[in-house]
Amino acid sequence: MSMKIGIACDHGGFPLKEEIKQAIIALGHECTDFGAPSLDPADDYPDYVIPMSKSVASAALDRGIALCGSGVGASIAANKVKGVRAAVIFEPFSARQGVEDDDMNVMCLGARVIGPAYALELVKLFLNAKYTGEERHARRLAKVLKEESSCDD
């Protein structure tokens, strides 16, 4: 099933973003690039990750991939957007399980801590995974969403 995928990065993730973008397209998905548009050491990940995350939260995109040097900053920025469930992913189990059990919709990668081939493997797992909606997972997600809604007060 073809999906609409957003991708965003800062300078730390720029080279890897370009490779992942091509892989997303090769897998048959649409890819919207939120930037960074070029390798600029003075850029800031929130400028690109937050707009991409808002598009995921609004359902304009099905999922998003955010990159920075470690993945941590991108994850922090993405999780500030209501409706986003982002995590830094370093290994295959979590790339798949994060979607299946927790309905993760943004995967964050540390471009300076994982190699391109491994990152592409994680992207494939993330994009092929489906949320199961099992009762225990839905119950847990409902609690998270309730807490997220209470932050509006």
Side-chain angles (χ1 to χ4, degrees):
M1 176 177 98
S2 179
M3 293 188 289
K4 294 178 181 177
I5 309 300
I7 191 163
C9 72
D10 66 358
H11 58 278
F14 184 79
L16 184 56
K17 177 191 68 127
E18 295 301 304
E19 289 190 52
I20 291 174
K21 184 168 59 171
Q22 295 309 313
I24 291 168
I25 294 166
L27 290 168
H29 303 293
E30 290 181 43
C31 187
T32 302
D33 186 343
F34 285 79
S38 63
L39 184 57
D40 178 358
D43 65 15
D44 297 317
Y45 58 82
D47 296 337
Y48 308 108
V49 172
I50 290 174
M52 186 269 301
S53 297
K54 287 180 177 180
S55 289
V56 171
S58 74
L61 297 171
D62 297 303
R63 294 198 189 148
I65 298 172
L67 301 104
C68 66
S70 67
V72 174
S75 176
I76 290 169
N79 279 310
K80 294 300 180 186
V81 177
K82 183 177 180 177
V84 168
R85 291 168 301 282
V88 182
I89 301 298
F90 293 107
E91 43 72 39
F93 176 77
S94 297
R96 179 185 50 75
Q97 181 271 340
V99 175
E100 292 175 347
D101 293 3
D102 304 310
D103 202 17
M104 176 176 65
N105 53 14
V106 174
M107 180 173 69
C108 302
L109 298 171
R112 293 181 176 154
V113 295
I114 61 172
Y118 193 59
L120 295 176
E121 178 185 339
L122 298 176
V123 167
K124 288 177 190 174
L125 289 166
F126 171 64
L127 297 180
N128 287 328
K130 306 282 183 265
Y131 176 59
T132 66
E134 290 181 24
E135 188 278 327
R136 64 191 170 118
H137 303 307
R139 181 182 69 242
R140 294 168 186 156
L141 182 57
K143 291 176 181 181
V144 170
L145 296 175
K146 180 180 177 187
E147 181 61 28
E148 182 179 69
S149 293
S150 74
C151 292
D152 294 337
D153 302 334

